[in-house]
Amino acid sequence: MHLEMPLVIGLMVAAIVLAIAAKRARMPYNVALVVGGLLISMGNLLPGVPPLDPEVVFLVCLPALLFEGGITADLSGIRANALPILILSTLGMVLAIGATGTALHVLLALPLWSALLLGALLSVTDTVSILYAFRRAPVPPRLSGIMQGESLFNDGTALVAYAAIASVVAGATTPSVPMLAARVLLASAGGAVVGLALGMLGGFVIRRTEDPLAEIMVTTAVALASFVVAEQLHLSGAISAVVAGLAVGAALRKDVSPQSQVAIHSFWEYATFGVNTFLFLAVGLTTRPETLRGYVPQTLLAMGCVIAGRAVAIYGPFLLLKLVRPAEAVPPRWQHVFIFGNIKGALSIGLALGLPASTPGREQLLAVTFGVTLISLVGQGLLLTRALKWLGLFQQDEVALAMSEQRGRLIASRAAHQELAVLHEQGLVPRAAYDHLRSEYQVNIARAERELRRLNEHHLAQGAKDLITMRRRLIDAERTALQGARRSGLIPETTAEHMLAQLDERTLNLEKMLHGAHGDDAEVEPGRKAS
């Protein structure tokens, strides 16, 4: 895909502006990028943007996103919720494709295998949107862990099913249902084996490298190799990339220096932000409203089919889980979140664009996929937080809010007190007025400080979190000062490296403490016993 440099710069500027606007408007940045890209496309503000290349999505973007999801995932949380994650990413995905495809076959009058192919396209959840939403949403940790784990692994099952169904639609021999299920199972298990082997190899190399830059290169190679090798062996590259990320992440947390951990995680955080920005902006830029207009009724029907298929794929397996393993049961309110959070994304569009030109009904499949993805990303992306609040799962910390309010009062009163002193020194405020206002702000300051002390004394956990947050900020100030001293030659390079490594270790320890504090505050959902 050839891009001229002015066009690349224009896309970067557009992405920056949209990301900042999303932050100011408190809107999910993926929604802002998609809508912004659509407006740019409609206004022809950046002519010459090539269409989204499926090979770029599959060979670069998807491995990076899935590997980063694995490397940063909470492995203990995945282990604790392995059974519901496994059921949703296997049986749930099969039910979603089958139910969605059957509904599309009936309502859209599509041939059965074409309808199942469209069902596979529309059963893939957008991993990026799920991870972004639930890493920041104050919901019960187990709910967040199950949704994140399912979003990481269901792509593998969906991609294998998509490839098998696409070959049937293209004219290959129609396999039996048991043969198709065996192919999906083999590809998934084989992909996990490949990912585990390459991830362990990458961890072995990283432990002996002791150079953050080289270690970053190793993780990049593992991310791409795990996907490509599995695909070359006709296995699931998506599951391979996730498992490789989990294996490397476990090695990092166990055997790698804090400096290397910070460097690797910082690199992958930036890399995935760049990939996400490109993908969501490309979705908006690639969507052509004039194409979608001709398939509005089909798109709306397909959206209903997707929701119905997802409902079958969620409520059925969770009912089975409740009957087989009552201790692992998921509350009904949580199950509804899996419907609201079934957001589509760039992967569905990439799969649709990758369909061969000879695919029967390709134009309709493309238009419906684009339309459903656009509705899902914008509609469900904006409504997810409201749905969580409506279901009573958005856990607002009342103590944190009260402390924030008092802290705001303290900051505002102190700023006004300082400004009053400046005005008095300049002779702009008479002495009597100055004394009156000064005493008023001193009372406000004392009241806010007294209330903060009271909250800290009665809520030790929240006070500990605030202290950890302050320590992290102070460590950042120390790091900035040390880097400046190193650049100016005030301290030797070896001394700076040693002291920066100590700061990285302190940062990781604080992160672990903060994570532990969040975990301790989590409530145990109905039906599960606290250990």
Side-chain angles (χ1 to χ4, degrees):
M1 181 173 62
H2 176 69
L3 286 176
E4 296 182 357
M5 188 53 64
L7 187 57
V8 173
I9 296 173
L11 290 172
M12 293 178 68
V13 171
I16 293 169
V17 171
L18 291 169
I20 294 174
K23 184 79 171 180
R24 296 287 177 86
R26 296 184 179 181
M27 177 189 298
Y29 86 104
N30 52 347
V31 175
L33 288 169
V34 171
V35 174
L38 183 61
L39 294 176
I40 291 172
S41 174
M42 293 172 61
N44 198 28
L45 302 178
L46 287 174
V49 177
L52 187 63
D53 190 341
E55 289 193 2
V56 174
V57 176
F58 294 135
L59 299 181
V60 179
C61 299
L62 186 59
L65 295 175
L66 293 174
F67 182 84
E68 191 270 345
I71 203 173
T72 58
D74 180 10
L75 190 57
S76 61
I78 291 179
R79 287 172 178 166
N81 301 300
L83 186 57
I85 291 173
L86 177 64
I87 289 178
L88 290 180
S89 60
T90 53
L91 175 62
M93 183 54 63
V94 172
L95 289 175
I97 295 174
T100 305
T102 302
L104 291 168
H105 171 61
V106 173
L107 296 179
L108 269 64
L110 288 171
L112 179 59
W113 284 104
S114 295
L116 289 173
L117 178 60
L118 184 56
L121 288 172
L122 299 178
S123 295
V124 181
T125 58
D126 180 52
T127 305
V128 178
S129 298
I130 295 298
L131 295 181
Y132 179 82
F134 283 89
R135 283 175 181 171
R136 291 160 175 80
V139 298
R142 185 173 180 241
L143 170 60
S144 176
I146 296 174
M147 287 210 69
Q148 291 183 35
E150 189 237 352
S151 69
L152 285 173
F153 284 98
N154 72 0
D155 286 347
T157 309
L159 287 172
V160 174
Y162 160 81
I165 298 172
S167 65
V168 174
V169 174
T173 304
T174 303
S176 62
V177 173
M179 182 66 68
L180 194 62
R183 187 186 303 180
V184 172
L185 181 62
L186 176 63
S188 301
V193 171
V194 171
L196 181 61
L198 290 176
M200 293 178 65
L201 176 61
F204 176 82
V205 174
I206 288 173
R207 283 193 292 268
R208 285 153 181 79
T209 302
E210 298 182 356
D211 179 1
L213 294 178
E215 290 163 354
I216 289 173
M217 186 66 72
V218 172
T219 61
T220 307
V222 171
L224 298 177
S226 60
F227 189 90
V228 172
V229 170
E231 288 293 322
Q232 289 294 320
L233 296 174
H234 303 290
L235 303 173
S236 174
I239 290 181
S240 179
V242 171
V243 174
L246 291 171
V248 171
L252 290 179
R253 287 184 285 272
K254 185 178 180 181
D255 301 314
V256 177
S257 68
Q259 187 178 15
S260 294
Q261 291 188 49
V262 172
I264 292 171
H265 285 298
S266 297
F267 166 78
W268 280 104
E269 185 176 7
Y270 171 74
T272 52
F273 175 78
V275 171
N276 294 342
T277 301
F278 162 75
L279 284 177
F280 289 121
L281 192 58
V283 169
L285 290 168
T286 307
T287 304
R288 295 289 180 265
E290 60 273 12
T291 304
L292 301 182
R293 288 193 197 104
Y295 294 94
V296 172
Q298 293 91 330
T299 299
L300 295 177
L301 286 173
M303 190 69 201
C305 294
V306 170
I307 295 174
R310 179 68 171 176
V312 172
I314 295 300
Y315 298 129
F318 276 142
L319 177 60
L320 177 64
L321 181 65
K322 182 179 181 179
L323 296 175
V324 176
R325 293 286 295 274
E328 297 283 343
V330 174
R333 280 191 307 160
W334 291 19
Q335 298 178 29
H336 306 329
V337 179
F338 289 84
I339 310 298
F340 287 108
N342 184 32
I343 303 173
K344 309 306 169 190
L347 182 55
S348 294
I349 289 181
L351 290 170
L353 290 172
L355 291 173
S358 59
T359 303
R362 184 177 185 272
E363 181 183 350
Q364 182 178 2
L365 297 179
L366 273 174
V368 172
T369 302
F370 272 63
V372 170
T373 301
L374 185 62
I375 294 173
S376 176
L377 264 174
V378 177
Q380 291 178 277
L382 290 175
L383 294 176
L384 180 57
T385 300
R386 293 184 182 180
L388 292 172
K389 292 180 178 179
W390 178 65
L391 292 169
L393 297 173
F394 204 86
Q395 299 175 339
Q396 293 285 1
D397 193 331
E398 299 298 333
V399 177
L401 290 175
M403 294 184 73
S404 298
E405 181 179 350
Q406 294 303 324
R407 195 175 293 114
R409 293 180 186 275
L410 183 60
I411 292 171
S413 297
R414 282 179 173 171
H417 187 269
Q418 293 174 359
E419 181 65 17
L420 178 63
V422 172
L423 294 175
H424 177 63
E425 290 175 0
Q426 295 174 351
L428 299 177
V429 178
R431 181 70 190 186
Y434 169 73
D435 290 338
H436 175 74
L437 293 172
R438 178 170 174 268
S439 62
E440 182 179 317
Y441 279 112
Q442 284 177 335
V443 169
N444 291 340
I445 291 170
R447 185 184 296 120
E449 289 177 338
R450 184 171 59 253
E451 186 63 18
L452 281 172
R453 282 196 302 270
R454 186 190 68 80
L455 289 170
N456 275 310
E457 290 170 358
H458 287 79
H459 303 279
L460 297 179
Q462 184 60 46
K465 291 179 187 178
D466 287 347
L467 181 59
I468 291 173
T469 302
M470 292 299 107
R471 287 186 181 277
R472 290 167 64 188
R473 184 166 180 172
L474 293 174
I475 288 175
D476 289 339
E478 291 183 53
R479 181 180 287 107
T480 301
L482 283 174
Q483 291 172 339
R486 178 177 61 179
R487 286 192 298 269
S488 59
L490 295 176
I491 57 176
E493 183 74 22
T494 54
T495 302
E497 290 294 334
H498 174 67
M499 297 184 71
L500 287 171
Q502 291 179 330
L503 291 181
D504 289 337
E505 184 173 3
R506 288 168 59 191
T507 300
L508 284 179
N509 288 335
L510 290 177
E511 291 286 350
K512 292 176 183 177
M513 292 170 61
L514 191 61
H515 181 72
H518 285 306
D520 293 340
D521 292 341
E523 66 173 354
V524 179
E525 71 277 9
R528 283 177 67 88
K529 296 181 180 179
S531 57

